[in-house]
Amino acid sequence: MIDTEISMAAEQIGNVRIVCVGDVMLDRFVYGDVSRISPEAPVPVCRVLSERTMLGGAGNVVRNLDAVGVTSHLISVIGVDEPANELQELLGQLKSVTPHFVFVNTRQTTVKERFISRSQHLLRVDRESVKLVSKETSAKIIEHVTKIISGVDALIISDYGKGVLPEGTISAIISSAKKEDIPVIVDPKGKDYSRYRGATLITPNQRELAEASHMSLEGNGDIGEAAKKIAEENGIANVLVTRSSEGMTLVTKDKVEHLSAEAQEVFDVSGAGDTVVAIISAAIAGKMSLITGARLANIAAGIVVGKMGTATIFGQDLTSAIRRHDYFLPTEAKVNELPTALAQISEWRGTGQKIGFTNGCFDLIHPGHITLLTKARKACDKLIVGLNTDQSVKLIKGQNRPIQDEMGRSTVLASLACVDLVILFSEKTPQNLIEVIHPDVLVKGADYKLEDVVGADTVQSYGGNVLLVDIEVGHSTTGTIARIIK
């Protein structure tokens, strides 16, 4: 069970201010379909279906901070080119982020382009400059930090090794933070961690830790020893090691704590490290304990690796995931609030998948429900279930219903293999939900007439299909309740 401290932490995590300094970039995802091999060379031919461009690197860190309500400043170096314009446009869409850029004419703004077909990565192409910035540019970075630092609660250094953060720059900005008694959290790069001397916390992954410590890491004990070695040799207070499917290890002066991985299925790890550093930094900035911050970051990482692309974590993602812990479900479980659900649906559509939708109260799930859901899933690639909240069930069924509360009902639905996403809605009908989701297929039982199906006109208006499926007869929640009472 999740304790009160972690639940409260998730709700309060956004009430801080953070400055993030580091390498910013664009992450571009090109989704396509591969059905043949090129006659010119033994390589797959990818027919492009759609493209998405997102903030990457330090940009993804502040994107995650913005999503959980944190006010942040982003300090970085970019070129004077079209990717720089695109990057600034994306940042302009974030309500709580203030960018401070140093523009360099001779520098190329970093772009990482990934080609993906049916969730499989085919190729990545990087366009970037990795030369160290000049002394003049470094001085401007330090000047930006100095002006801002006294008004924030934490400093993040997001080092991707693209040349924005020479050793002297890192030392100067850590020194500025320490003078103001502001914690410094570092997402490190390279093998020499002495450049991060004075940091409150660093967040290497297991491979980076092995390289920096020059140790072979076989298990929990080795991880702890390597992290202690790094901390002691380089004057770093604490280390949080991200370990992919093995979870995380938090090493402080007095303790080593291992956290099991939250994700049950890893879909895409792009940007997961950015999410971890953002969430634990927000927790530290909010004066929470390191272990509470690590637990929140662990839950957040479990969510984003189950998403496509350079994913971000929403505040409601965290609170929903924590609630689901009480039902012993994995944190990437399928129950989501609308903003998170729409982001997931967009990712599915980006890979050319057909979206199906059905809805109901699903109070005491019976064989009729299972038949409906199974047949609905066969008609699409991803099935979304709109689930009436307790409040709306009472409006439809009466004050004595539902028998199971909304979390219990959504938990049962989410456990079904044929259900890909569950969205709770409080209205009597799912009309508004259907209009926002735009499903390709709307599914209801054949006990409905087409003209009585809510949302049928909407779906048909844009060329979608309405499917009425035969279901198991003789099953109903009302009948089950009557038999129980009798």
Side-chain angles (χ1 to χ4, degrees):
M1 300 287 281
I2 294 294
D3 55 46
T4 304
E5 181 183 9
I6 197 75
S7 297
M8 291 179 61
E11 294 173 0
Q12 299 172 2
I13 199 168
N15 301 321
V16 293
R17 297 158 299 170
I18 293 177
V19 58
C20 178
V21 188
D23 303 284
V24 67
M25 60 195 70
L26 288 176
D27 280 341
R28 185 166 289 136
F29 295 84
V30 181
Y31 301 104
D33 179 60
V34 173
S35 59
R36 63 191 179 97
I37 300 298
S38 171
E40 303 165 356
V43 295
V45 175
C46 181
R47 183 173 63 89
V48 174
L49 299 174
S50 64
E51 296 184 24
R52 296 182 69 199
T53 302
M54 309 176 195
L55 293 166
N60 192 42
V61 175
V62 296
R63 179 170 168 247
N64 275 272
L65 292 173
D66 179 78
V68 295
V70 172
T71 299
S72 67
H73 296 265
L74 172 63
I75 300 172
S76 189
V77 178
I78 57 176
V80 182
D81 49 24
E82 185 53 39
N85 295 335
E86 195 171 355
L87 193 152
Q88 292 178 87
E89 183 178 342
L90 288 171
L91 280 168
Q93 297 171 13
L94 304 181
K95 298 179 180 179
S96 304
V97 180
T98 303
H100 308 267
F101 287 131
V102 181
F103 296 92
V104 179
N105 287 323
T106 57
R107 192 172 187 85
Q108 183 177 17
T109 303
T110 300
V111 179
K112 294 182 180 180
E113 191 168 22
R114 299 168 176 88
F115 293 82
I116 300 166
S117 176
R118 293 288 175 178
S119 306
Q120 297 298 315
H121 283 244
L122 303 176
L123 175 70
R124 193 179 100 180
V125 178
D126 289 1
R127 300 178 179 89
E128 60 187 10
S129 298
V130 295
K131 184 180 179 180
L132 288 177
V133 298
S134 67
K135 291 182 179 179
E136 292 76 15
T137 299
S138 292
K140 291 178 181 178
I141 294 172
I142 294 168
E143 182 181 356
H144 279 307
V145 174
T146 303
K147 289 180 178 179
I148 296 168
I149 195 69
S150 62
V152 300
D153 301 298
L155 166 71
I156 296 173
I157 296 175
S158 181
D159 190 356
Y160 270 77
K162 306 301 181 186
V164 169
L165 294 170
E167 184 173 345
T169 303
I170 293 174
S171 176
I173 60 181
I174 290 177
S175 178
S176 295
K178 292 187 72 174
K179 287 179 182 178
E180 299 290 340
D181 197 28
I182 291 169
V184 178
I185 301 89
V186 179
D187 190 1
K189 197 72 173 179
K191 300 179 181 180
D192 181 12
Y193 285 5
S194 64
R195 59 199 273 115
Y196 308 121
R197 184 172 299 277
T200 307
L201 177 77
I202 61 170
T203 62
N205 60 37
Q206 186 167 332
R207 178 186 57 79
E208 291 168 337
L209 179 66
E211 292 176 352
S213 64
H214 306 288
M215 292 176 61
S216 176
L217 308 179
E218 301 296 335
N220 288 350
D222 290 346
I223 296 288
E225 289 303 314
K228 286 181 179 179
K229 176 184 177 183
I230 287 295
E232 292 170 0
E233 291 180 353
N234 298 289
I236 296 166
N238 308 284
V239 181
L240 178 66
V241 186
T242 56
R243 302 172 58 191
S244 189
S245 61
E246 298 298 318
M248 297 181 180
T249 297
L250 177 64
V251 179
T252 64
K253 182 179 180 180
D254 304 315
K255 189 179 290 187
V256 176
E257 300 194 51
H258 303 287
L259 304 176
S260 299
E262 294 288 349
Q264 300 300 304
E265 181 179 0
V266 176
F267 189 59
D268 190 342
V269 298
S270 303
D274 301 326
T275 298
V276 169
V277 74
I279 297 303
I280 195 164
S281 297
I284 292 171
K287 311 299 183 185
M288 300 174 196
S289 67
L290 277 174
I291 188 59
T292 295
R295 291 172 69 191
L296 280 176
N298 196 36
I299 292 171
I303 295 169
V304 298
V305 297
K307 299 182 178 184
M308 189 65 180
T310 307
T312 191
I313 180 80
F314 293 95
Q316 59 264 35
D317 286 340
L318 273 177
T319 54
S320 295
I322 288 168
R323 287 199 305 269
R324 288 194 295 272
H325 264 275
D326 290 338
Y327 289 86
F328 305 99
L329 282 182
T331 58
E332 90 291 2
K334 308 160 189 175
V335 186
N336 281 294
E337 295 185 30
L338 189 56
T340 307
L342 290 176
Q344 178 65 79
I345 293 165
S346 176
E347 290 162 5
W348 287 336
R349 279 213 167 93
T351 59
Q353 299 188 77
K354 183 186 292 185
I355 305 301
F357 179 87
T358 191
N359 67 279
C361 299
F362 295 97
D363 191 21
L364 298 182
I365 289 181
H366 51 68
H369 291 140
I370 301 300
T371 301
L372 170 68
L373 295 170
T374 301
K375 291 183 177 180
R377 183 60 168 78
K378 289 180 179 179
C380 60
D381 296 309
K382 297 293 182 181
L383 178 62
I384 301 165
V385 177
L387 180 65
N388 291 86
T389 61
D390 293 346
Q391 177 185 355
S392 61
V393 172
K394 290 183 185 299
L395 293 174
I396 299 168
K397 302 287 188 179
Q399 290 300 309
N400 292 328
R401 299 281 296 276
I403 301 301
Q404 285 186 308
D405 65 19
E406 61 195 48
M407 188 52 64
R409 290 181 288 120
S410 61
T411 297
V412 175
L413 283 170
S415 70
L416 300 176
C418 56
V419 175
D420 297 289
L421 196 64
V422 179
I423 306 173
L424 289 152
F425 67 97
S426 57
E427 299 88 357
K428 289 184 70 174
T429 78
Q431 179 65 41
N432 293 334
L433 202 55
I434 290 169
E435 290 177 0
V436 174
I437 292 172
H438 246 236
D440 302 298
V441 184
L442 175 61
V443 184
K444 293 295 288 185
D447 51 335
Y448 280 83
K449 294 180 180 180
L450 181 61
E451 58 267 26
D452 296 330
V453 176
V454 173
D457 291 344
T458 300
V459 173
Q460 290 175 325
S461 71
Y462 54 76
N465 296 320
V466 179
L467 177 64
L468 302 180
V469 301
D470 293 326
I471 58 176
E472 291 281 341
V473 297
H475 299 283
S476 74
T477 301
T478 301
T480 301
I481 295 171
R483 288 193 296 272
I484 292 172
I485 293 173
K486 184 176 179 179

